[in-house]
Amino acid sequence: MLNPADETLVARLPEGVLRPLTPAYLEEPRRRVQGRAGLVAAPRNVDEVAAVVRACAEARVGIVPRGGGTGLVLGQVLPDIPPGGPAPLILSMERMTALRGIWPEENVLIAEAGMTLQAVRDAAEARGRLFPLSLASQGTAMIGGCLSTNAGGVTALRYGTARALCLGIEAVLPDGRVVHDLKRLRKDNTGYDIRDLLIGAEGSLGIVTAASLRLVVPPPQTGVAMLQVPDPAAALTLLALAERHMAGGVTAFELISGQGLAFLTETLPEIRQPLPGVPWSVLIEVGLPEGLPADQALEGFLTEAMARGLVLDGVIAQSGQQAADFWHLREHIPEANRRIGAIASHDISLPLSEIPGFIQAAGAAITARTDARLNCFGHLGDGNLHYNLFPAPGRNRADYDAERKALSEMIHEMVMARGGSFSAEHGVGRLKLGDLERWADPARLAAMRAIKATLDPLGIMNPGAVLAPARG
Amino acid sequence: MLNPADETLVARLPEGVLRPLTPAYLEEPRRRVQGRAGLVAAPRNVDEVAAVVRACAEARVGIVPRGGGTGLVLGQVLPDIPPGGPAPLILSMERMTALRGIWPEENVLIAEAGMTLQAVRDAAEARGRLFPLSLASQGTAMIGGCLSTNAGGVTALRYGTARALCLGIEAVLPDGRVVHDLKRLRKDNTGYDIRDLLIGAEGSLGIVTAASLRLVVPPPQTGVAMLQVPDPAAALTLLALAERHMAGGVTAFELISGQGLAFLTETLPEIRQPLPGVPWSVLIEVGLPEGLPADQALEGFLTEAMARGLVLDGVIAQSGQQAADFWHLREHIPEANRRIGAIASHDISLPLSEIPGFIQAAGAAITARTDARLNCFGHLGDGNLHYNLFPAPGRNRADYDAERKALSEMIHEMVMARGGSFSAEHGVGRLKLGDLERWADPARLAAMRAIKATLDPLGIMNPGAVLAPARG
């Protein structure tokens, strides 16, 4: 049943863009909130996206952009309809899945926003190239969402976040104008960086409809190892040693805690663990030039690391299968976490040298206040930790309802006091609006609000995401 | 002699910030135009910068930010004072030269805007790190200017442009508010990318006063070679081969034309040329991991390249001195150009696969229209060519006054028709305002204007740079 605003809106939409509003459009992965919406539109091309945006602007209907729906900060769901306002329209990119072109000799590909990250990676691989962005959710996450949230993942250490992999965009601005800027250029200094403004804006300044993406030639030699380290401080010294040995060839450097391994043992016992039960370990992947076999390079590195006491034990993958097994373990830590059921999750980053002190101080503070279990893991090479709390054995999530907020605030305070970030790679969405208000530099926040107000004066673009709606 | 606006302004400025207005503040490297100014302020810290900006805002006096003054597009000089308006104030960063901190174990350094690029590189080197941005003008160019113009240079292929090397900024906005965002983080997804908006804005949205910069561990093995290639198409295939061999280890890949070598012979005969007289050559630098000597890697690469006909002749540097000599040659091509005296210079970029066709077609079109000599050289790995025209022997620059504009337009039209850029790394400044108006995507240009109007409603920040002043 449509309300009057929707009837006007429907009449203005391009023919055939509407889709049935099924529950899947209203979900987010952790199922903590349920979105609300009036209509779902799935345009087939950028002109239809522009037409939908213009129609929504005329009808003053909010737009909630939707990619693969894998975001973790509620950027893709609007749970509360503004009082008196019409329900928003969900703008799904699911039909814009074309590979517009690939130029392997240029290391460039142009993808529409609805291509999954996996599809982009596959398209590159089919032409002998690598699109290096890699996330656990890559089979579902769409490239438009990856850009709109500046996704990070496990290879950011070497290749950067999504931002660093984007050369140009096509996007629809809140007034329906289309930015056509799908350049295949490495250098283009012609005015303000509108591309990077839309990247990471989580759909609140416009809709990214396509992007030209940077590919790389896959390294001829790759190697993976799992290494037991004495503690996080040693892991950081080990990272510096790896960087010195590998000349930029460290692709990933992931920290794994003993609690993470224990959760895997508990929930996914079929996953093989090469270093079972160790308190701290690291998964390292390297990609190296022709003429330097990866196992040889890793062995030289490991010999020095063990001599210096930075590594206590280690396994270098002896086959592609074993390397895949190591990654399989790492990538199932979030799944094990889901099965245990987190009390609270924190996607934090810290200056590298602050990490050991933070892990020690925050761990002690948590132990002093609660019996919750802690799983601290993540992309150590980027200073990015997933710092998550779980119920003690025999208790459940709801038992911690009273202390959740205070624990999270304590953790964020300790992070921010060390020059860190309360959202390293997931974004702000609607979940972290309060954190942004509290922690962002005031002048930067004022500039953000001014830009939002000037580009989206009607406030229709992903209302309430990143910035709270302007108070009237 | 001060005009009334200046007297009011002087009274509002922090004590001791004014400097004598010497001619050096009004110059740009090619000496084509002379700037105008009323006052010169050289603040000692960010609070003084903010005070100067607030005073200028109150007095409605324009601000022309000045770093090392090496820009090539007139971003640092305002030749025409707006009718009826007061002369602008030059805001020089010359006194903000502190290294605020260096964290080698994090690969991070925080520099004030007035540090020269060379000083930043030296500070990193003193702690065993490399700040990889590298430009011919690095002894004079300041880091604030490098960021404000998103400088590129010879290592962008591997390490990116200035934008990719900046983790955070401190900046003064046009209303005098200070953005304090000197984070030392690799990942921080907390709202709009104000940092990248100021980077490349050429001082027209605010003043960058300090930056946290990304360092790298220098590769343990480096090697340099000069290689004769049959033509630009072969050079591109050679680049792809190098990328496949080196796994991201290609640091620089510079194209040199026979005309460039001839200009060196003519103006700087003392510079040794390892491949004298060859029509096309490439300077390649690689940085490789422990265990893979660079000369061994280059030899393997060169053997395959010669077998495939991609290289006709080549010299691998046998010592650090010889490597430095090769770079000395490359870096003196701009100096030779200056001595010959260009008719017109074009800082263009193209999609890599368009380069051979462009070089052929543009070369033919120029030959058909003029007797001018062409020196086409540059950062081939980035698709960035410096495509410059010079007088025929016995003629001089002024002889081409009548045809200069049409030749440049023809070149830019051929570049833009191939999806290229009319300003790859130098920026827009005041020189390329017309090009931006003509070639920029209209929706992107509209977004730029909206952002300028909302952040700088008085139009005081580097007036007339990047965007023409709003018409009343």
Side-chain angles (χ1 to χ4, degrees), chain A residues 52-67:
Chain A
V52 170
V53 169
R54 282 195 305 269
C56 287
E58 284 165 18
R60 305 289 193 271
V61 168
I63 296 167
V64 179
R66 193 167 180 101

Side-chain angles (χ1 to χ4, degrees), chain B residues 243-287:
Chain B
E243 285 175 334
R244 182 148 62 72
H245 269 257
M246 306 298 174
V250 183
T251 306
F253 197 88
E254 298 284 305
L255 184 70
I256 298 168
S257 74
Q259 187 64 70
L261 297 181
F263 284 167
L264 280 171
T265 304
E266 188 177 334
T267 63
L268 298 160
E270 69 278 14
I271 290 182
R272 278 190 301 178
Q273 298 189 18
L275 297 169
V278 305
W280 292 105
S281 53
V282 156
L283 185 158
I284 182 173
E285 177 169 319
V286 298

Side-chain angles (χ1 to χ4, degrees), chain A residues 103 105-107 129 149-154 156-158 161 163 173 177-181 183-197 199-202 204-205 214 217-221 236 240 243-249 287-292 296-297 349-354 379 381-384 416 418-428 436 439-444 446-452 454-455 465-467, chain B residues 103 105-107 129 149-154 156-158 161 163 173 177-181 183-197 199-202 204-205 214 217-221 236 240 243-249 287-292 296-297 349-354 379 381-384 416 418-428 436 439-444 446-452 454-455 465-467:
Chain A
W103 295 262
E105 72 281 17
E106 290 180 11
N107 286 321
R129 293 296 184 271
T149 60
N150 185 27
V154 295
L157 171 62
R158 179 168 190 159
T161 60
R163 185 185 300 290
L173 298 179
R177 280 199 268 202
V178 180
V179 173
H180 294 283
D181 208 26
K183 295 233 173 103
R184 286 146 42 205
L185 302 175
R186 257 66 180 173
K187 285 183 176 169
D188 179 27
N189 277 348
T190 54
Y192 305 160
D193 189 0
I194 303 301
R195 177 190 73 216
D196 279 314
L197 191 62
I199 293 174
E202 304 181 40
S204 70
L205 295 178
R214 191 162 72 84
V217 178
Q221 320 267 352
L236 283 171
E243 285 176 335
R244 182 148 61 72
H245 268 256
M246 305 299 174
L288 299 171
E290 204 76 71
L292 182 62
Q296 180 189 316
S349 62
L350 288 150
L352 283 185
S353 62
E354 297 285 348
H379 319 300
D382 308 316
N384 178 193
M416 299 309 289
R418 286 169 169 80
S421 171
F422 62 85
S423 190
E425 55 178 9
H426 295 165
V428 176
L436 186 71
W439 297 112
D441 174 73
R444 182 171 159 262
M448 284 175 57
R449 289 207 176 97
I451 290 168
K452 171 74 173 176
T454 195
L455 293 184
V466 186
L467 292 171
Chain B
W103 296 261
E105 72 282 17
E106 291 180 12
N107 287 322
R129 293 296 182 272
T149 60
N150 184 27
V154 295
L157 172 64
R158 179 168 192 160
T161 60
R163 183 185 300 291
L173 298 179
R177 280 200 267 203
V178 180
V179 174
H180 294 283
D181 208 27
K183 294 233 172 103
R184 287 148 40 206
L185 303 174
R186 257 66 180 173
K187 285 183 177 170
D188 179 28
N189 277 347
T190 53
Y192 306 159
D193 189 1
I194 303 300
R195 176 191 70 217
D196 279 313
L197 191 62
I199 293 174
E202 305 181 39
S204 69
L205 295 177
R214 191 162 73 83
V217 178
Q221 320 266 352
L236 283 170
E243 285 175 334
R244 182 148 62 72
H245 269 257
M246 306 298 174
L288 299 171
E290 206 74 73
L292 182 61
Q296 180 188 315
S349 63
L350 288 151
L352 283 186
S353 63
E354 297 285 347
H379 320 299
D382 310 315
N384 178 193
M416 299 310 289
R418 286 168 168 82
S421 171
F422 61 85
S423 189
E425 56 178 9
H426 295 165
V428 176
L436 186 71
W439 297 112
D441 173 73
R444 182 171 160 262
M448 285 174 56
R449 290 207 176 98
I451 290 167
K452 171 73 175 177
T454 195
L455 294 185
V466 185
L467 291 171

Side-chain angles (χ1 to χ4, degrees), chain A residues 44 57 65-66 69 82 123 163-164 189 231-232 238 250 258 300 315 392 433:
Chain A
R44 287 153 289 205
R66 193 167 180 101
R163 185 185 300 290
N189 277 348
D231 52 42
L238 185 67
V250 183
V315 189
L433 284 180

